[in-house]
Amino acid sequence: MINAEPRIESLASAADAEAFRQINEEWISRLFTLTDDDRKLLKDPFGQIVAPGGDVLVARIGDGVVVGCVALVPYPNEVVELAKMGVTPQAQGQGIGRKLVAAAVARACELGVRRVFLGTNSRLAPAIHLYEGAGFTRITREQLPVADYYARADILMELPLQ
């Protein structure tokens, strides 16, 4: 149990990138299969997400320990994917995921994004509830801005902005 208010900040160092990779590899590997697309993003978040115009946010507590993260992966036409959100097991259940989603939506607005989409899985009921609480609504696979999307994503959602 962690009893500190997290600070949500953009990815700033190689250590942050490593925390982003570790947090995501842990939960994805535990529940699903880590794909080549997962590995590509997680191995180089600065090159794959930040440089093309997206962002990765990390939740820090105390002296900077990263306990959660979320990515805004850029797509054409002012669209981002809310992706790779995870919170360490010891920090779960304390509202950090909700704060990460709110910060990601605010950051998407700052980036001039008009639409945020995401894919999740029906096994992740707390995440679905979190996204719905943030205003995301379900869409069909045909409404995605990308043709080849994660097979494990059986629930797709979007949030129009502006």
Side-chain angles (χ1 to χ4, degrees):
M1 186 75 137
I2 295 169
N3 291 316
E5 188 65 24
R7 299 181 314 280
I8 312 270
E9 302 170 340
S10 290
L11 199 67
S13 67
D16 288 350
E18 178 61 13
F20 173 69
R21 184 191 64 75
Q22 287 178 351
I23 289 168
N24 278 286
E25 281 186 359
E26 187 281 324
W27 79 260
I28 294 169
S29 297
R30 183 171 27 90
L31 297 171
F32 305 104
T33 300
L34 204 62
T35 67
D36 288 342
D37 287 338
D38 292 323
R39 287 183 189 91
K40 182 178 175 184
L41 281 180
L42 296 175
K43 181 180 176 188
D44 181 20
F46 286 107
Q48 296 294 316
I49 301 168
V50 177
D55 204 353
V56 176
L57 302 178
V58 294
R60 301 179 196 282
I61 58 160
D63 60 356
V65 175
V66 175
V67 295
C69 54
V70 64
L72 292 169
V73 181
Y75 282 81
N77 303 315
E78 300 168 327
V79 173
V80 295
E81 175 189 10
L82 189 140
K84 303 297 183 263
M85 189 174 92
V87 176
T88 61
Q90 65 270 27
Q92 290 175 1
Q94 298 178 51
I96 293 171
R98 184 176 20 82
K99 290 174 183 166
L100 280 165
V101 170
V105 169
R107 181 66 176 123
C109 289
E110 290 172 4
L111 293 171
V113 168
R114 295 182 352 170
R115 178 183 179 209
V116 181
F117 78 96
L118 63 86
T120 189
N121 187 279
S122 53
R123 294 169 55 187
L124 304 174
I128 296 164
H129 181 72
L130 178 73
Y131 301 137
E132 288 174 340
F136 283 82
T137 57
R138 295 182 190 212
I139 59 172
T140 65
R141 196 162 285 274
E142 293 73 33
Q143 292 171 288
L144 285 175
V146 58
D148 186 24
Y149 196 66
Y150 295 101
R152 68 178 175 245
D154 64 354
I155 294 179
L156 308 167
M157 305 178 99
E158 74 172 354
L159 178 66
L161 300 177
Q162 301 177 342

